[in-house]
Amino acid sequence: MNNIENKNNRLLFVFDYPLSDLGGASKSSKTIINILLKNKYDIHVLEPYDPKEELIDGVKYHYWGKVESNKVKLYKNKIVGLLKTSNKIKPCIIHSQFSQYGFILVLLKKMHMISKKNKTMFTDRDFYSSYSNKYRFIFSKYAYLLDKIICTTQINGKLWKEANCRNRVEVIHNVLEPVWYQYDDNERNLIRRNKGYQESDFVVGFAGRFTKYKRWDDVYKICEKLCSYDNMRFSFVLTYGNGEYDTMQKYIERLNKLLGSKVTIKVKADINEMNSFYYSLDCFVLTSDKESFGRTLLEAASRKCVVIGTNAGGVPEVIGKTENLYRVGDINKATEIIIMYQNDKSRLLLDKEFFFNRFNNEFSREKFEKEICNSYYFE
């Protein structure tokens, strides 16, 4: 029996950021919500207000206010918004997909401000060891009060189990939208031709938010080392958060000056544009110094790209190939791996198939949907 068989099948998802955010956490949350809607759950979302948001059909939206720089006001708005919404709609489960609301859920449970009738869940889309001492202390002391903690990688699940939460932890990998499970070689060839790439061109891609932990200076240094190769091409998709736009624009100017006609740069791409971006690549590189999962690696693998990444967080578990990992900040090693593929076409083709098959076997949508639906079952 699962919760859908109960009289109350109402779920309340609580978010630190709008679902319209282009980050991987928001994308994965929307995928989960659509799966649950298909399984007849009554879905409510509590988030900050975004007038530009494209709403999901069938979801009821509630708002706790706006994202504030004043942390006292921010937490007050979130707590009041959660308590008001919970008292109004009376959900059977309250599920946080972000760390601040996960922290709030723990505190409210400790203070008996959330009814025992409300099951509480927290999906950690960060990484336990990357939290501040304050967060780790509270989580290690009181996170056992939550009914379930979902981690997206085994390594993060292990850290949570070691932090006094052994019986509460489940590991469910991220999954992508349906479009990523459909591949067409002809579409890839057409997209590359339309972008002006020659058959001999080797295209390296980078994508993500322009934030510090993504280590965009490392990306620039990699490009510096590779730009002298005649057939090397570079493709970027960048997005940004509050206060990041001006710095990102200066970075784009530096890239254009360094790479000239060898580079294409897109700011804020929708899912169809991201699909075209990955189809055009031979190799995708993730340079982050922390990464709970590394969703972009899966997106790239689904389009038959070779993927390369740091040994940070959940990246090794997603990549699954030691030879394609390098220590954070080791620019020489990252460059060496890229050049190896550029020089060895048979190895390139072989490993493109490896990552494509790994994506479809280890991160299948069918497996994920079953695990997600099961995670909302409580005795």
Side-chain angles (χ1 to χ4, degrees):
M1 183 180 79
N2 61 31
N3 284 309
I4 193 62
E5 296 166 355
N6 298 330
K7 185 176 181 180
N8 185 357
N9 65 328
R10 185 168 296 159
L11 308 185
L12 174 61
F13 285 88
V14 292
F15 294 98
D16 295 341
Y17 302 99
L19 267 175
S20 56
D21 186 86
L22 291 174
S26 293
K27 292 178 182 178
S28 295
S29 298
K30 283 189 277 191
T31 300
I32 291 169
I33 286 171
N34 281 313
I35 289 170
L36 294 171
L37 285 171
K38 187 174 73 173
N39 283 272
K40 308 302 183 184
Y41 278 88
D42 180 16
I43 305 298
H44 291 249
V45 163
L46 175 63
E47 63 174 1
Y49 180 63
D50 178 8
K52 298 179 181 177
E53 181 170 11
E54 188 175 324
L55 304 181
I56 302 172
D57 288 341
V59 172
K60 290 88 171 176
Y61 288 84
H62 312 267
Y63 303 101
W64 54 257
K66 296 181 180 179
V67 176
E68 299 275 354
S69 56
N70 183 315
K71 289 209 170 173
V72 174
K73 189 173 182 181
L74 176 67
Y75 273 86
K76 179 183 175 182
N77 288 345
K78 288 184 173 183
I79 291 170
V80 171
L82 173 55
L83 293 176
K84 281 186 175 180
T85 305
S86 179
N87 288 334
K88 178 182 177 182
I89 69 170
K90 296 179 172 47
C92 64
I93 299 172
I94 302 172
H95 190 170
S96 170
Q97 296 280 334
F98 287 92
S99 57
Q100 284 184 359
Y101 252 130
F103 185 73
I104 288 169
L105 281 179
V106 169
L107 293 179
L108 293 180
K109 288 281 281 192
K110 174 62 179 172
M111 294 186 288
H112 306 288
M113 296 178 74
I114 293 179
S115 169
K116 290 182 179 179
K117 294 179 181 179
N118 297 133
K119 297 297 184 182
T120 51
M121 298 172 64
F122 167 47
T123 295
D124 184 19
R125 298 192 179 281
D126 209 312
F127 208 70
Y128 185 84
S129 59
S130 71
Y131 289 125
S132 67
N133 291 334
K134 174 186 71 175
Y135 267 58
R136 287 204 303 274
F137 175 78
I138 295 294
F139 281 142
S140 65
K141 293 283 282 185
Y142 304 117
Y144 73 91
L145 294 170
L146 299 175
D147 294 285
K148 280 187 183 177
I149 298 165
I150 308 295
C151 297
T152 57
T153 55
Q154 294 292 342
I155 186 171
N156 197 30
K158 182 174 182 290
L159 293 174
W160 275 96
K161 288 176 182 178
E162 291 170 352
N164 200 29
C165 302
R166 183 169 302 278
N167 297 326
R168 307 288 181 176
V169 178
E170 292 182 10
V171 176
I172 303 176
H173 287 134
N174 275 339
V175 74
L176 307 184
E177 298 87 346
V179 65
W180 302 107
Y181 293 88
Q182 303 161 13
Y183 179 84
D184 185 346
D185 268 321
N186 292 327
E187 186 172 355
R188 179 185 183 276
N189 295 333
L190 178 62
I191 287 169
R192 280 179 66 99
R193 283 199 302 271
N194 288 341
K195 288 179 179 286
Y197 295 137
Q198 304 299 314
E199 187 63 33
S200 59
D201 287 338
F202 186 86
V203 187
V204 185
F206 308 90
R209 179 177 161 184
F210 196 79
T211 190
K212 187 176 180 180
Y213 76 86
K214 295 290 187 180
R215 299 183 68 92
W216 290 104
D217 283 344
D218 285 5
V219 173
Y220 187 87
K221 291 172 185 175
I222 289 171
C223 293
E224 275 188 314
K225 289 180 173 293
L226 296 174
C227 64
S228 62
Y229 288 80
D230 289 339
N231 69 333
M232 197 74 72
R233 300 292 181 268
F234 306 88
S235 187
F236 286 74
V237 174
L238 301 174
T239 187
Y240 58 89
N242 290 336
E244 295 166 349
Y245 179 79
D246 291 342
T247 310
M248 182 193 69
Q249 286 297 328
K250 290 177 182 177
Y251 182 81
I252 290 173
E253 290 173 9
R254 290 175 62 209
L255 284 176
N256 282 322
K257 185 175 181 180
L258 172 69
L259 302 172
S261 62
K262 289 188 171 188
V263 67
T264 59
I265 303 171
K266 172 72 178 174
V267 176
K268 286 198 171 182
D270 63 26
I271 192 168
N272 293 321
E273 291 167 323
M274 290 303 297
N275 188 39
S276 295
F277 164 73
Y278 290 117
Y279 260 131
S280 71
L281 305 181
D282 292 293
C283 170
F284 178 79
V285 185
L286 187 63
T287 57
S288 306
D289 60 29
K290 68 168 189 173
E291 201 73 54
S292 61
F293 186 79
R295 175 192 166 96
T296 52
L297 295 166
L298 283 192
E299 292 174 348
S302 79
R303 304 298 85 165
K304 287 194 180 179
C305 298
V306 162
V307 292
I308 299 167
T310 59
N311 60 353
V315 172
E317 193 172 321
V318 176
I319 288 182
K321 194 176 183 67
T322 306
E323 301 93 323
N324 286 52
L325 299 170
Y326 69 93
R327 286 183 298 105
V328 173
D330 190 347
I331 305 304
N332 290 332
K333 180 62 176 178
T335 307
E336 178 185 309
I337 299 170
I338 295 168
I339 292 172
M340 180 271 294
Y341 281 119
Q342 190 256 354
N343 288 334
D344 190 342
K345 297 302 181 186
S346 61
R347 175 72 176 274
L348 175 66
L349 293 173
L350 189 67
D351 282 357
K352 281 184 174 185
E353 290 295 330
F354 168 83
F355 288 112
F356 179 70
N357 291 332
R358 176 174 168 76
F359 164 73
N360 283 295
N361 293 330
E362 298 297 322
F363 303 96
S364 74
R365 190 170 178 87
E366 294 76 16
K367 176 184 175 184
F368 177 82
E369 287 196 17
K370 181 178 180 181
E371 290 174 342
I372 281 296
C373 290
N374 288 342
S375 72
Y376 290 94
Y377 166 67
F378 291 91
E379 297 286 352

